[in-house]
Amino acid sequence: MITRPATYWTVLFISLQERLVYRGEFAMSTLMRFLPIITQIFLWQAIFSAIEVERGSETIAGYTFHGMIAYYLLTTISRAFSSMPGLASGIARDIRDGTVKKFLIQPIDMVSFLLVRRLAHKLVYYMVALGPFALVFFLFRGFFEGWPEPHVFAGFVLSLLLAFLLGFFLEATLGMIGFWFLEVTSLMFVYMLLNFFFSGHMFPIDLLPGIWGDLVRLLPLQYLAYFPAAVFLGRVSGPALAAGLATQFAWVVFFAVAARVAFHFGVRRYSGFGG
Amino acid sequence: MDNRGLSQFSQHGDPRPNQPPGDAAKTGLSPSAPPAPLRPSYTRVAYTFLRNSLVRDMTFRANFLIDTISSMVWVLMNLGFYVLIFEYTPMIGAGTGWGKYQFFLFLGTTLIINSLTRGLFLANAIELSEHIRNGTLDFILLKPIDTQFLVSLGRIEWSALGPLGFGLVLMLHSFGQLGYAPGPVTVVLYVFYLACGCAIYYSLMIAMSSTAIWFGRNRSLLDFWFYITNFSRYPMEIYRGPWGDPLRWTFTFLVPVLVAVNIPARMLVRPLDVRTAADWTLPVFTIVATLAGLAVSRWVFQRALLSYRSASS
């Protein structure tokens, strides 16, 4: 099944147009997304004030108060790249209601089609979200120690791009489970919870002690939120940075293959009902 | 799935509590007089809702079990986060008194209030916005019972009992760890303020969902609810400083979500001990806020109903 690049350009272009219709809703939901961070700032301020008074210490697992808030702000950028709202559940729904049939008939590959559509979705999101993000980071610039070195920044950008691909292929693979189970909503909910806690979205995963920390570091989830933020803050540097990026890339390849394998075997047992 | 559940009840012919047989006779009106005002028994209707929702949940047992498990996973993960925090700090906020087990009493209170309001009202609030969009609110308006009552309680989610029970267990455990048991007065005050907290949350929820009449749709209700209650998840003492003070003031006096959990939780941690003016102003204010919240939300609801145009019928 060979599709001309022009086809994907058209898909991208149409999806861009489609997405731009909802730019108002996009901008609002972006600003709203920063609201929980306000609570986090006050919570951590209270925690750091307590450890300073009670224990005379100013850091938690190597994070200062400012470092901690900078971390949370940076994870919002990671999440802007890696989160794929509605991707897995959309695939599962298409399988359930039979929409997936069109990919079996039309000469276009489903995973690539969805990737291009998601790319358009994200591009529009960045166009619209750039304003709110710039505003929030400008207001909270005091929490940062300045711009990182150019090579660190390059590593950060690379890890964000890989985070997008990892998020896409991971969720696409999950969506393919719909070929085997008709109802995947609860499974998605559990994944969302695990993602929230173990990607580093709720707290930096290096806070986890002992075996818990080791286990979470084995999962690919940390590359969706924790890793890019840690790169920016200079917590991962030198050989560790190269190794981290290589591991992230390996996970991308793993899930890119897994999604296609799952689709291949899923289609074999797929039976379309209705018209 | 839900419709199947509903139609099942109508087939079984549940007792119709909104029209007790001898009602017209009791009010002393002759049959030729204008239609007698119907006086449904609200407690019986509420009981029927509770029962029907339980039957529905038990009809789809696997779904109920999954709902319960996933909400418990969420609760456990949150608890894990706080356990992690208390690995690093003895207290939330220097000198506030919110140590680990005091905070777990707070967390237990949050869980109880959240699961009560979610279980009783959230599904209904979301459904209200759908009723408005589809025009099915027409049928609710026709029922001879208070519309707000019917809209608020029609569907009760029993799976919310899981986190509620967990909150109670967590609180018992925390009392055990603190080596202290609350006296009867404290318990009565606690339950009273718990009810106030639920009423404040409910007022906010119903007022927010009825705005769907003006906006046509209110898809972000759940998000908005999450963001608002996000502010009340922690002791109000953490909001201080040039940004925190106005924030605390706003969410105490303008949108009183902070007092909803804080005041009952404080009853347990620092049993009402009136030493300074501040010790009684907030509890008194909470009562005022509860009454005002209920009144304002009812006003908003009724104003919104006046603008209802019955979509697509």
Side-chain angles (χ1 to χ4, degrees):
Chain A
M1 206 150 53
I2 296 160
T3 314
R4 285 181 306 140
T7 312
Y8 288 113
W9 273 115
T10 314
V11 171
L12 181 70
F13 186 70
I14 293 172
S15 307
L16 278 172
Q17 300 284 322
E18 196 178 84
R19 278 285 148 189
L20 273 169
V21 177
Y22 303 105
R23 55 188 177 270
E25 198 182 295
F26 259 16
M28 262 312 286
S29 65
T30 310
L31 266 183
M32 297 264 276
R33 205 168 281 187
F34 287 102
L35 279 177
I37 291 215
I38 297 173
T39 328
Q40 291 286 358
I41 292 179
F42 286 105
L43 175 70
W44 285 105
Q45 191 180 39
I47 293 166
F48 276 95
S49 80
I51 62 159
E52 205 178 325
V53 172
E54 309 274 335
R55 293 184 181 167
S57 152
E58 279 188 0
T59 57
I60 289 178
Y63 289 91
T64 60
F65 169 54
H66 280 200
M68 188 66 87
I69 302 309
Y71 174 83
Y72 277 106
L73 288 165
L74 286 166
T75 55
T76 59
I77 299 187
S78 320
R79 298 271 305 170
F81 279 83
S82 68
S83 76
M84 302 284 149
L87 176 63
S89 51
I91 294 175
R93 193 186 51 236
D94 283 356
I95 294 168
R96 196 175 55 233
D97 67 16
T99 316
V100 77
K101 278 200 286 277
K102 78 177 179 203
F103 294 106
L104 307 180
I105 300 164
Q106 292 168 0
I108 193 162
D109 167 55
M110 180 166 101
V111 178
S112 311
F113 174 79
L114 289 175
L115 181 64
V116 174
R117 273 186 68 89
R118 190 53 62 160
L119 193 67
H121 178 144
K122 286 288 179 194
L123 285 175
V124 172
Y125 178 72
Y126 302 139
M127 273 187 250
V128 180
L130 195 65
F133 265 88
L135 177 72
V136 170
F137 276 79
F138 176 75
L139 289 175
F140 292 121
R141 65 192 179 285
F143 291 109
F144 290 89
E145 286 172 5
W147 290 92
E149 301 271 312
H151 70 275
V152 173
F153 194 76
F156 172 64
V157 172
L158 188 58
S159 69
L160 285 178
L161 295 176
L162 288 173
F164 165 74
L165 291 173
L166 179 59
F168 175 81
F169 287 118
L170 206 165
E171 281 229 9
T173 311
L174 279 176
M176 301 295 175
I177 294 175
F179 280 116
W180 286 268
F181 298 100
L182 277 182
E183 185 48 59
V184 291
T185 329
S186 41
L187 202 73
M188 292 304 148
F189 187 73
V190 171
Y191 165 72
M192 195 200 79
L193 288 182
L194 289 174
N195 189 345
F196 189 60
F197 279 84
F198 299 129
S199 68
H201 185 48
M202 185 144 188
F203 55 85
I205 57 167
D206 27 21
L207 253 59
L208 284 168
I211 182 96
W212 292 101
D214 296 338
L215 274 176
V216 170
R217 263 184 285 274
L218 285 177
L219 299 177
L221 291 175
Q222 58 159 320
Y223 294 104
L224 299 176
Y226 168 79
F227 184 68
V231 169
F232 188 95
L233 291 173
R235 293 180 72 87
V236 185
S237 55
L241 174 58
L245 285 171
T247 316
Q248 192 180 12
F249 181 72
W251 277 118
V252 171
V253 174
F254 174 81
F255 281 107
V257 172
R260 274 160 207 288
V261 170
F263 183 72
H264 176 77
F265 286 104
V267 166
R268 283 188 172 193
R269 51 165 289 140
Y270 173 73
S271 41
F273 300 102
Chain B
M1 208 152 126
D2 296 332
N3 289 341
R4 260 200 293 163
L6 273 177
S7 60
Q8 194 192 5
F9 301 127
S10 44
Q11 278 163 20
H12 283 294
D14 274 345
R16 276 174 301 162
N18 28 3
Q19 202 178 351
D23 212 30
K26 259 185 260 167
T27 49
L29 290 167
S30 65
S32 59
L38 293 164
R39 286 177 165 273
S41 157
Y42 283 87
T43 45
R44 278 183 66 190
V45 177
Y47 171 72
T48 310
F49 285 152
L50 275 172
R51 212 176 55 116
N52 282 2
S53 304
L54 184 63
V55 173
R56 173 165 45 195
D57 275 345
M58 290 304 113
T59 311
F60 306 105
R61 254 179 299 249
N63 195 53
F64 174 79
L65 204 67
I66 289 167
D67 274 357
T68 309
I69 291 172
S70 48
S71 56
M72 289 303 287
V73 171
W74 169 248
V75 168
L76 283 173
M77 284 190 157
N78 266 295
L79 183 68
F81 173 58
Y82 298 123
V83 169
L84 187 66
I85 282 181
F86 283 106
E87 286 291 305
Y88 292 97
T89 179
M91 211 175 267
I92 289 185
T96 54
W98 293 108
K100 187 172 180 178
Y101 293 104
Q102 285 89 349
F103 181 72
F104 283 178
L105 288 175
F106 185 95
L107 186 63
T109 309
T110 311
L111 284 174
I112 292 173
I113 293 185
N114 277 358
S115 46
L116 278 176
T117 42
R118 282 190 82 112
L120 289 173
F121 309 121
L122 191 65
N124 296 303
I126 292 170
E127 220 162 82
L128 171 62
S129 120
E130 279 304 294
H131 279 314
I132 290 161
R133 202 172 60 86
N134 299 329
T136 42
L137 187 65
D138 297 8
F139 303 110
I140 295 174
L141 288 170
L142 285 172
K143 300 272 185 341
I145 193 164
D146 183 73
T147 307
Q148 192 182 342
F149 173 81
L150 197 62
V151 153
S152 309
L153 278 172
R155 180 171 174 185
I156 288 142
E157 295 199 343
W158 284 87
S159 58
L161 275 182
L164 187 122
F166 186 81
L168 284 173
V169 171
L170 182 67
M171 289 174 72
L172 284 178
H173 174 68
S174 306
F175 278 127
Q177 291 289 325
L178 290 168
Y180 142 81
V185 178
T186 310
V187 171
V188 169
L189 278 173
Y190 178 73
V191 172
F192 173 73
Y193 278 107
L194 212 55
C196 286
C198 289
I200 289 172
Y201 269 21
Y202 164 73
S203 310
L204 205 67
M205 210 186 277
I206 201 78
M208 266 168 23
S209 62
S210 51
T211 57
I213 288 182
W214 290 305
F215 300 136
R217 187 168 203 184
N218 207 341
R219 265 196 305 183
S220 48
L221 179 73
L222 200 63
D223 285 351
F224 201 68
W225 183 246
F226 172 75
Y227 292 132
I228 287 270
T229 50
N230 199 39
F231 280 103
S232 57
R233 278 166 62 183
Y234 301 112
M236 61 203 293
E237 286 89 346
I238 71 167
Y239 301 104
R240 54 183 169 189
W243 290 90
D245 289 334
L247 205 66
R248 193 183 66 234
W249 194 89
T250 308
F251 285 106
T252 302
F253 296 109
L254 284 182
V255 187
V257 287
L258 272 182
V259 294
V261 180
N262 270 275
I263 300 306
R266 278 181 181 198
M267 292 292 156
L268 295 182
V269 177
R270 286 180 274 182
L272 194 64
D273 176 14
V274 185
R275 271 175 298 190
T276 62
D279 283 339
W280 62 267
T281 39
L282 276 181
V284 170
F285 169 76
T286 306
I287 300 174
V288 176
T290 307
L291 296 174
L294 288 172
V296 169
S297 62
R298 184 157 181 88
W299 180 78
V300 170
F301 182 78
Q302 287 180 333
R303 281 302 303 231
L305 278 191
L306 288 180
S307 310
Y308 177 61
R309 285 173 307 173
S310 181
S312 64
S313 55

